[in-house]
Amino acid sequence: MTLVAPPDHTGGVRTARRVLWPKTIDSLDGYIARRGGAGLEAARTRSPAELISELEASGLRGRGGAGFPTGIKWRTMVENRSTEEPTTVVVNGAEGEPGTFKDRSIIRRCPYHVIEGAIIAALAVGSDHIVFGLKRSFEREVTRVRAAIEEVTAAGWADGISMEVFEGPDEYLYGEETALLEAIDGRYPFPRLAPPFRRGVERHARRASGVAAGSGVSSRVELAGPQVELTAPPALVDNVETLANVPRIMARGAGWFRTLGTEKSPGTITVTVTGASRRHGVAEVMMGTSLRKVIQMVGGGARRGHRIKGVLPGVANGIIPAEMLDTPVSYEHLSAIGSGLGSGGFIVLDETVDMPALAAGVSRFLGVESCGQCTPCKLGGLELADLLRTVSLSEAGDHQLDLAATRASTVSDRARCYLAHQHQVVMQSIMSRYAHEFDAHVAGTVGPVEPYLIAELIDIEDGVARVDERFLEKQPDWSFDELSTGKNPADRLGQNRFGEWTFRP
């Protein structure tokens, strides 16, 4: 097994330090001393087509959750880019998946290879501007990236390419790539139908027309007065960890990248292990390592005197039962057992965890974080969460349990983004694999259990993860008021209303 982790977590295992550096790199000079910049230097000697071909050959897949082939994404951007406006490269660092802390860990250790990868991406797709999309609450990471950008710019690495850090909201949907683009353009993080390669960000049109960022002007609308039509040329959106892999691929070649991992999932993956493990942490492991070994090496295995009951890979994929812990950590192997790799966050569950309570916690998280543009997702999702809560509290009968199963099957109807689909997948996996526990609550043979807290990780300190407990106070309308307005966020905030939430000055 290949592992990168804090020294006391390695257990003497051979390490492979590709994106999660073992020690913090404090300066650009320190990064260069460790062969940083070699990828950009190699990239400048190649054509955009050659860069994309190299990336395709490497087999690198997006590390943000979906696992889409990065080289194909870059080629699609080039094939669909505007002939009048350059493409914008957007680095997605809006990490909010429960149980995941890998992007922030990468940035804290070394933001330079993320920036270098973004510059290489800009060269490949013909971009002159890079936006690093982080959350306003990620103060440590925002400061780190801004300082690194200043160093890189002063060193001349980004000649002809401007860079900025965008500080967005804490909402879970901000990490969805189209919602991220909406937020960058000054609107609320509500997913849209047009993918980034069709519609990106509007910054060029705004500069040309004199329209201020955050003004609320939607793409391709005509303004009153002088006829000005704003467009949103395509944007390339890639995850932090994805771009951190790019420099070494360009410096050492696709063949080198494939020396680790599996055929369909080459390379390494940065994982987070939290929950009922002996310790919590972030580490880089070789694709194809068994989940059992990952939990053992990163998290120390189950807590003393306890046994692992299952693993929740964030809230985007099906739960993994204990009997499947020997499954290799890769896109293809986890998909084959009805789950997925996602963003590499694994929440360990032991025999003390009540599965109906877990389901209720996951469902509440997804129901609250739904924006409300799709009625089955928001209203059906909230109803599902309420039904599951009554089950976990042993207050439900057979009718409520049957209705919960029905809502789980319809929550994704007519959904415009993946949130509703993941709500369906996770709920159906928990309810089917642990049906006997739901039946026990309905029968009254199990006492009431409060829903399990599922929320974003704030930090991991001294081997202990801190979960955002403030989420317990969050209302379905995205406020933290004592009472909810009863409106969906998309109705309360309005897709075309601005001023209450301004991201830019």
Side-chain angles (χ1 to χ4, degrees):
M1 175 181 175
T2 303
L3 174 70
V4 170
D8 60 332
H9 288 192
T10 60
V13 177
R14 181 175 63 88
T15 59
R17 299 162 182 171
R18 288 190 169 185
V19 297
L20 185 63
W21 292 60
K23 296 182 179 179
T24 300
I25 307 300
D26 292 320
S27 67
L28 181 60
D29 287 340
Y31 179 59
I32 293 174
R34 293 164 177 78
R35 297 185 64 186
L40 180 58
E41 184 177 349
R44 291 195 186 281
T45 67
R46 305 176 192 173
S47 68
E50 290 173 327
L51 296 178
I52 294 173
S53 293
E54 190 73 36
L55 199 60
E56 286 180 321
S58 74
L60 175 65
R61 297 173 64 166
R63 300 299 197 251
F68 190 80
T70 307
I72 294 178
K73 176 183 276 192
W74 286 22
R75 187 174 297 281
T76 301
M77 294 305 306
V78 171
E79 292 173 348
N80 289 274
R81 65 184 176 185
S82 169
T83 57
E84 299 178 359
E85 301 283 356
T87 295
T88 299
V89 170
V90 178
V91 181
N92 190 343
E95 187 171 57
E97 182 71 12
T100 303
F101 202 77
K102 50 99 173 178
D103 286 339
R104 280 167 283 179
S105 296
I106 290 171
I107 290 174
R108 289 180 182 186
R109 298 279 183 89
C110 178
Y112 303 102
H113 54 342
V114 180
I115 297 173
E116 184 180 1
I119 295 173
I120 294 171
L123 296 176
V125 301
S127 173
D128 67 352
H129 189 66
I130 300 170
V131 180
F132 293 83
L134 303 175
K135 290 184 176 179
R136 185 183 295 118
S137 58
F138 294 175
E139 296 180 3
R140 183 172 172 182
E141 291 74 28
V142 167
T143 299
R144 189 92 163 93
V145 172
R146 282 207 170 110
I149 286 175
E150 290 183 6
E151 291 182 86
V152 166
T153 301
W157 280 23
D159 285 350
I161 301 173
S162 59
M163 294 184 284
E164 65 174 300
V165 175
F166 175 79
E167 300 178 50
D170 282 331
E171 267 60 46
Y172 176 63
L173 276 174
Y174 174 54
E176 199 275 339
E177 59 183 9
T178 64
L180 171 61
L181 299 181
E182 286 288 289
I184 290 172
D185 274 337
R187 293 185 286 274
Y188 296 98
F190 301 149
R192 62 192 185 202
L193 293 174
F197 70 86
R198 295 291 185 195
R199 175 181 162 192
V201 293
E202 302 160 5
R203 68 178 188 89
H204 289 288
R206 281 186 173 142
R207 289 177 179 175
S209 63
V211 177
S215 64
V217 178
S218 300
S219 295
R220 298 201 65 82
V221 298
E222 294 185 355
L223 305 178
Q227 293 294 304
V228 180
E229 188 179 68
L230 298 184
T231 61
L236 173 65
V237 183
D238 271 325
N239 169 261
V240 164
E241 184 183 359
T242 307
L243 290 169
N245 277 285
V246 170
R248 284 187 173 178
I249 290 175
M250 296 306 165
R252 301 187 179 187
W256 166 83
F257 183 74
R258 285 185 171 276
T259 58
L260 295 180
T262 70
E263 176 63 26
K264 295 182 179 179
S265 300
T268 61
I269 180 77
T270 307
V271 302
T272 310
V273 175
T274 60
S277 55
R278 294 191 183 189
R279 61 174 177 260
H280 303 153
V282 178
E284 186 177 6
V285 302
M286 182 172 64
M287 288 281 200
T289 304
S290 76
L291 180 55
R292 189 185 304 277
K293 286 184 179 179
V294 168
I295 294 172
Q296 181 63 43
M297 298 311 303
V298 182
R303 297 180 298 172
R304 291 186 184 278
H306 295 275
R307 58 178 175 78
I308 295 177
K309 182 177 184 178
V311 176
L312 187 68
V315 294
N317 295 286
I319 194 167
I320 303 169
E323 59 268 25
M324 294 182 177
L325 287 180
D326 290 320
T327 302
V329 171
S330 69
Y331 294 104
E332 67 273 22
H333 290 100
L334 288 175
S335 176
I337 65 168
S339 186
L341 181 53
S343 56
F346 298 109
I347 303 173
V348 179
L349 311 164
D350 63 18
E351 81 285 355
T352 66
V353 176
D354 182 84
M355 289 305 180
L358 175 71
V362 173
S363 190
R364 181 183 184 274
F365 177 83
L366 293 172
V368 169
E369 292 297 341
S370 172
C371 67
Q373 292 184 92
C374 308
T375 299
C377 176
K378 186 67 175 183
L379 299 186
L382 290 173
E383 183 182 359
L384 175 56
D386 287 340
L387 287 166
L388 291 171
R389 184 174 186 274
T390 63
V391 173
S392 72
L393 295 177
S394 299
E395 298 173 353
D398 290 331
H399 174 70
Q400 284 80 10
L401 185 56
D402 290 342
L403 186 56
T406 299
R407 288 292 172 266
S409 68
T410 61
V411 70
S412 65
D413 289 355
R414 301 184 301 280
R416 69 166 55 202
C417 79
Y418 191 67
L419 186 147
H421 294 284
Q422 65 191 71
H423 200 161
Q424 181 180 68
V425 167
V426 180
M427 288 305 100
Q428 290 183 334
S429 73
I430 297 175
M431 294 176 73
S432 62
R433 290 191 185 279
Y434 302 93
H436 62 284
E437 294 195 29
F438 290 81
D439 293 336
H441 273 280
V442 171
T445 59
V446 176
V449 181
E450 287 290 334
Y452 190 104
L453 174 59
I454 295 291
E456 178 183 329
L457 292 182
I458 295 177
D459 209 336
I460 299 180
E461 300 171 331
D462 299 324
V464 178
R466 285 198 295 127
V467 179
D468 184 11
E469 294 185 358
R470 188 168 180 250
F471 181 75
L472 292 171
E473 303 171 9
K474 190 169 185 177
Q475 299 287 359
D477 64 2
W478 288 4
S479 74
F480 286 88
D481 298 334
E482 185 175 350
L483 296 175
S484 173
T485 61
K487 295 182 179 181
N488 295 329
D491 298 324
R492 183 176 75 87
L493 302 173
Q495 287 180 272
N496 292 307
R497 287 180 57 205
F498 308 90
E500 302 102 327
W501 195 349
T502 302
F503 299 133
R504 294 175 185 265

